[in-house]
Amino acid sequence: MVYHLTRGRMDKRPRYNTTQLPTLDSPWQDTPSGRYFGWRCRQANLNGELAFVVEYVLCPHCKLGWVDKPYTIEEYQRRGLAAAGLEALRGEHPGVAWHTGSGHMRNSRAFWSAVGHGVPGSYLPRELCEHVERQGGLKSGWLVRREEQRKAP
């Protein structure tokens, strides 16, 4: 809203897509997401090229994590790379219940069911908590305060 009110003079932070993220000299890399502030992008590099990428965010207050938009290039699909990437994230953040930030596409439901089996949260779709919405720039601080004032008796 501020961006539109100022006609683009504010909030000129760069917004990248996943193909524009920096490439590190390691098989796994973790960089800021190009789409959402506060979100991270986990990427797998094989033979010097992108093989898998997923965006994620954690809320330390609620002990919740969200993943969104996983993508594996066709050459590496159905080889367990996405499952390994999600498992690595869970291993680095124990005690977190994992969800997805958006709905599941019809052709991906079997994937989410398989990788979510036995995982707290089961990668079921869930709305973002207020901490992540505020931190990630999806909901401004004044809007959160206004909603809190409306809820107060």
Side-chain angles (χ1 to χ4, degrees):
M1 188 166 135
V2 171
Y3 179 81
H4 293 291
L5 289 174
T6 62
R7 295 189 185 115
R9 290 186 299 270
M10 290 186 73
D11 193 24
K12 289 194 173 199
R13 297 174 285 191
R15 300 196 193 291
Y16 307 104
N17 63 40
T18 54
T19 60
Q20 296 171 319
L21 291 172
T23 302
L24 307 176
D25 279 341
S26 64
W28 291 100
Q29 71 179 42
D30 213 21
T31 58
S33 169
R35 277 189 273 250
Y36 312 118
F37 294 102
W39 286 65
R40 305 288 296 166
C41 189
R42 173 61 55 96
Q43 181 173 319
N45 300 313
L46 294 174
N47 302 323
E49 65 181 32
L50 167 75
F52 164 74
V53 65
V54 66
E55 293 178 298
Y56 74 96
V57 67
L58 299 166
C59 178
H61 305 288
C62 300
K63 295 289 187 191
L64 294 171
W66 288 265
V67 295
D68 205 18
K69 299 179 180 30
Y71 175 74
T72 306
I73 64 170
E74 193 171 343
E75 181 181 346
Y76 296 109
Q77 288 179 1
R78 295 182 180 29
R79 295 187 182 189
L81 189 57
L86 295 173
E87 185 177 350
L89 278 176
R90 292 192 310 268
E92 293 170 19
H93 306 284
V96 172
W98 291 93
H99 298 277
T100 57
S102 56
H104 298 167
M105 294 171 38
R106 181 175 293 155
N107 60 351
S108 70
R109 289 184 185 146
F111 166 78
W112 288 116
S113 177
V115 297
H117 183 72
V119 174
S122 301
Y123 292 110
L124 294 174
R126 179 185 174 132
E127 294 215 9
L128 301 175
C129 69
E130 70 179 51
H131 308 109
V132 170
E133 284 183 332
R134 189 180 311 152
Q135 169 203 359
L138 302 176
K139 185 185 280 188
S140 63
W142 67 268
L143 184 57
V144 171
R145 285 190 298 278
R146 192 169 90 188
E147 288 176 353
E148 289 171 353
Q149 289 171 349
R150 285 184 184 167
K151 290 179 187 177

